[in-house]
Structure formats: C-alpha cells, structure tokens
Amino acid sequence: MTRINIAIDGPAGAGKSTVAKAVAKDMNIIYLDTGAMYRAVALKAIQSGFDTRDQVVLEALVKDIDIRIEHDGNEQRIFLDGKDVSGDIRTAEVSIGASNVAVNPAVRIKLVELQRKIAKDNDVVMDGRDIGTYVLPDARHKFFLTASIEERAKRRYYEMIGKGMSDITISQIEKDISYRDKNDSSRAFAPLSKASDAIEIDTTSLSEQEVVDCVLSHITNKNE
Ligand code: DC
C-alpha cells in the first residue's frame, strides 16, 4: 500500500504547523509535529539540570528516553517518560534547547526512527527541518515555507501571548529565532535545508488560508 506522505519544512515561525494541521484536517490524515520531539528531549535535559549542548550527556540521555505521540482528532499530544508534556515544551528556553539537542546525531537518529515508523504506519503530513531531505526523501509532496525574520518573530510573539506567556518581547524572540536559524542550518547532520524537489512558498505577505490553499492546490494538481 502506498502511503500519503507530505513533508513541510522551513525555519521557525514560517507557518509550518498551522498549515500542516489545516492540510491534514482537510485530507483527513494525521499531522506530525517533529519539532515537539526535539523539544521533549530538550525538556528532559533541562529538567535533569544538563547543558543542552553537552554532547556526551545527550548521548546517554537519549538512550532510554521514552517519547510517545498520541493523536486526538487533529491534535497531537506528546508524552515524555509517560507524562503529557505538550504544554511544557512550548517555552522560549525549550525552543533554544531543542535547537541545541537537534545538533546531536544520536538524538536525531533516535527521533528519525520514530518519525519514519509513524509515516510507514499512517498517512501523514509531517513538519520539521529535514523531512523532505532526510526523514522522508521519497515523500511525494514536499514544501518549504519561508518568511522574513520580522514577520516570523511577530507571529511567534502573538502565538505565545495567546498561550498566556507575558514575559516576552518581540526583539528577544527575534534574537532566539535568529540563533535557531543559524544553529539549525549549520549543523553537520541533516541540517535545515530545502529539498531540491520541494516547492518553496514565501508566506510573509500571505494569510494562513492562502498558504493552505496554495499547498492543497499543488497536491491536487500533482495527483491528477
Ligand atoms: O519546529 P520547532 O520550532 O518546534 O522545532 C524546535 C527545534 O527542533 C528547531 O529549532 C530545530 C529542531 N528540529 C529539527 O532539528 N528537526 C526537525 N525535523 C524538527 C525540529
């Protein structure tokens, strides 16, 4: 049986998760947010008092980590060692930590194995940094979303304010995003990059619905 695999990659704040969720809902398939997995590893490191850049510690930490994903309709919940951490992984500290732990090959290999298994067992829209290039290189549909850094910081700011976080500023978020952009694209193993066969969409001046429509129309056209 051929699975539907849709890869949506791009930097932080480019609109990947909103678009991936809407596309999954429209097509009645599951949405997998792979960033949440790197966030869960970072959360574990932070809670254990470790530096998220300590490569030796990370290798040991990831050996017996238990990360589980559940889908409740269109919503994904992530469990770390049996506990639902879907809310705890959304802080600014965990965002930076996730970008740090994502450099480690042992961490990536472990999480990619889980991601590939989910894609083998389900029709899925997967968002991340390396889905089209590394996790699912044979995915039939690949998209790469971008937006200006100012727009991405603004979106993230309002998203975090909407979640009740008040201790943040747009300029701090812009700094954090810029750190992550550099870190994510310069790592040696499976960096953030556009697959040569991915369709690039600059979402800076597009509404969410316009991006969703654009993605869905590319999928329909290619399937015809
Ligand atoms: O998508 P996000 O902001 O939740 O991702 C958090 C970090 O996790 C991101 O800065 C880099 C890392 N990540 C990755 O390296 N590969 C992925 N497929 C997804 C996320």
Side-chain angles (χ1 to χ4, degrees):
M1 174 203 242
T2 314
R3 286 283 177 206
I4 302 172
N5 284 172
I6 301 169
I8 303 189
D9 289 303
K16 300 182 302 290
S17 64
T18 315
V19 171
K21 239 189 231 177
V23 169
K25 190 169 181 198
D26 185 273
M27 297 180 70
N28 200 22
I29 62 180
I30 66 168
Y31 156 59
L32 184 71
D33 165 13
T34 62
M37 297 180 177
Y38 293 93
R39 286 171 179 270
V41 175
L43 182 67
K44 176 148 183 162
I46 292 166
Q47 285 176 342
S48 313
F50 299 142
D51 182 336
T52 52
R53 291 162 302 182
D54 187 329
Q55 305 301 313
V56 177
V57 153
L58 285 173
E59 270 185 42
L61 180 120
V62 84
K63 263 198 190 119
D64 55 5
I65 199 168
D66 171 24
I67 292 180
R68 207 161 34 81
I69 300 283
E70 275 184 19
H71 286 93
D72 179 10
N74 201 32
E75 283 304 313
Q76 165 180 305
R77 306 225 58 91
I78 183 155
F79 295 81
L80 170 63
D81 298 329
K83 182 176 175 255
D84 186 346
V85 293
S86 311
D88 300 343
I89 58 169
R90 297 292 158 196
T91 64
E93 186 188 15
V94 175
S95 298
I96 295 288
S99 178
N100 287 339
V101 303
V103 170
N104 185 281
V107 170
R108 299 202 73 80
I109 286 166
K110 174 114 183 188
L111 299 185
V112 167
E113 193 181 277
L114 187 56
Q115 291 156 16
R116 286 185 179 148
K117 180 165 186 344
I118 294 172
K120 190 165 161 263
D121 296 343
N122 301 273
D123 293 334
V124 66
V125 181
M126 204 179 278
D127 92 24
R129 304 293 188 287
D130 60 336
I131 311 304
T133 52
Y134 184 73
V135 181
L136 305 174
D138 297 329
R140 178 163 168 76
H141 304 284
K142 297 183 186 178
F143 298 91
F144 193 82
L145 305 189
T146 61
S148 71
I149 181 133
E150 293 81 10
E151 177 64 22
R152 292 190 284 129
K154 203 172 82 191
R155 288 179 190 167
R156 216 11 89 83
Y157 175 76
Y158 286 113
E159 189 185 316
M160 292 173 94
I161 291 285
K163 286 188 177 144
M165 296 174 210
S166 52
D167 195 17
I168 44 165
T169 60
I170 294 195
S171 68
Q172 185 55 48
I173 293 180
E174 195 173 313
K175 259 192 219 133
D176 289 358
I177 286 184
S178 163
Y179 171 84
R180 288 207 282 151
D181 282 357
K182 251 185 237 125
N183 210 30
D184 296 347
S185 5
S186 65
R187 67 178 174 238
F189 189 61
L192 160 67
S193 74
K194 178 185 161 308
S196 56
D197 52 350
I199 291 163
E200 182 164 348
I201 305 171
D202 182 345
T203 71
T204 307
S205 53
L206 299 178
S207 70
E208 273 169 31
Q209 194 54 51
E210 283 172 322
V211 185
V212 173
D213 291 346
C214 177
V215 167
L216 285 172
S217 75
H218 276 291
I219 293 173
T220 312
N221 289 342
K222 196 165 179 181
N223 283 341
E224 274 170 4

